[in-house]
């Protein structure tokens, strides 16, 4: 048989975890390939880029969707366990398959696909998806992939050492065009001893203006008092501009404060940090590339 789509893999994937034990992605590959009786040809089929097996790719997406819908939990890298919501799904005797339409009943999944819709509108949403043009579907799929990678990047950043966090921020700022060279920026920025870094970097290669940078690998949100303290530090550093980076988020009070003061302070939260890393190729590598083309009508002008 042909390799099923990712939706077909979701329910049996959940069944694999029904014993309550920990199971790896490798186990899922083997279990689901046997479950669907995939042939040797099916198991060796590659996606167009040639970088991954088709059934591995689709099982990977099934895993992602189950996780984003809150049906399974990640124990550690590529190892999963079913949770209470997942057990409730398996306990539904009238259910024998899972689809994206079904998962849209969960708020977490709605947020994951970046389309917040009420539960009663879920069916309409799925139908709307089917009406999208191929290019629109491609762009929406790209956004979902970007969001997934962003979340994974942020998890890795939060788990890295202070030394690695310092290097990451330096690499990112230099890739964005700040700090001069890696060596210059590395010398200008140092660890602050509180799970963060701070320092002054060049705004441009020539150093015509300077930017005060503070980055904190925090879990709790950053409030206005912390930003006020940062704004005060700009005076001591003779800087007019500042960038405050956190792996968490900022309170509304902190955001309102930077909009009212004279000095220019940019706030970068965890989501922004991951997005910038994705955009400037920090901590990510290119898997494949699709180039959209159109007919060049000028070429056919006689």
């Amino acid at each position: 048989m042909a390799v099923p789509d990712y939706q077909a893999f979701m329910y049996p994937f959940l069944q694999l975890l029904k014993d309550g034990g920990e199971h790896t992605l490798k186990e899922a590959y083997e279990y689901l390939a046997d479950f669907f009786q995939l042939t040797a040809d099916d198991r060796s089929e590659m996606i167009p880029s040639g970088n991954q097996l088709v059934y591995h790719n689709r099982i990977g997406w099934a895993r992602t969707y189950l996780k984003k819908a809150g049906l399974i939990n990640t124990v550690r890298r590529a190892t999963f366990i079913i949770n209470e919501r997942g057990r409730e799904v398996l306990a539904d005797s009238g259910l024998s398959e899972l689809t994206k339409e079904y998962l849209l009943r969960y708020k977490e999944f709605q947020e994951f696909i970046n389309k917040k819709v009420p539960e009663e509108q879920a069916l309409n949403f799925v139908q709307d998806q089917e009406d999208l043009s191929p290019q629109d579907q491609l762009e929406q799929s790209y956004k979902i992939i970007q969001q997934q990678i962003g979340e994974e990047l942020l998890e890795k950043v939060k788990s890295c050492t202070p030394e690695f966090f310092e290097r990451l921020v330096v690499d990112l700022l230099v890739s964005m065009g700040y700090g001069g060279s890696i060596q210059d920026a590395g010398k200008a920025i140092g660890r602050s001893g509180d799970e963060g870094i701070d320092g002054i970097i060049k705004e441009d290669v020539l150093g015509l203006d300077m930017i005060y940078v503070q980055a904190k690998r925090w879990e709790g949100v950053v409030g206005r008092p912390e930003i006020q303290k940062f704004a005060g530090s700009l005076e001591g550093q003779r800087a007019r501009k500042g960038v405050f980076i956190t792996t968490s988020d900022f309170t509304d009070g902190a955001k309102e404060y930077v909009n009212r003061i004279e000095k220019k302070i940019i706030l970068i939260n965890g989501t922004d940090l991951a997005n910038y890393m994705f955009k400037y190729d920090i901590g990510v590598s290119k898997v494949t590339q699709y180039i959209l083309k159109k007919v060049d009508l000028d070429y056919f002008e006689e």
Side-chain angles (χ1 to χ4, degrees), residues 150 154 157-158 165 172 214 216 218 220-222 243-251 255 266-277:
L154 191 54
V157 172
K158 289 180 177 179
F165 182 53
L172 177 59
Q214 194 166 99
K216 293 188 179 296
W218 282 2
V221 294
V222 180
V243 178
F244 196 113
I245 304 172
T246 180
T247 50
S248 57
D249 204 351
F250 300 94
T251 63
K255 297 173 185 177
I266 300 299
L267 303 180
I268 298 178
N269 63 15
T271 301
D272 295 332
L273 175 61
N275 288 339
Y276 282 126
M277 290 176 65

Side-chain angles (χ1 to χ4, degrees), residues 28 38 58 65 78 169 199 201 222 235 251 289-290 292 295 298:
L38 299 184
R58 294 179 183 176
Y65 275 44
V169 172
I201 62 169
V222 180
E235 292 290 347
T251 63
Q289 181 172 313
Y290 301 97
L292 295 181
V295 175
D298 291 337

Side-chain angles (χ1 to χ4, degrees), residues 273-292:
L273 175 61
N275 288 339
Y276 282 126
M277 290 176 65
F278 184 93
K279 179 178 180 179
Y280 290 96
D281 294 327
I282 302 298
V284 297
S285 58
K286 185 182 295 183
V287 175
T288 188
Q289 181 172 313
Y290 301 97
I291 300 176
L292 295 181

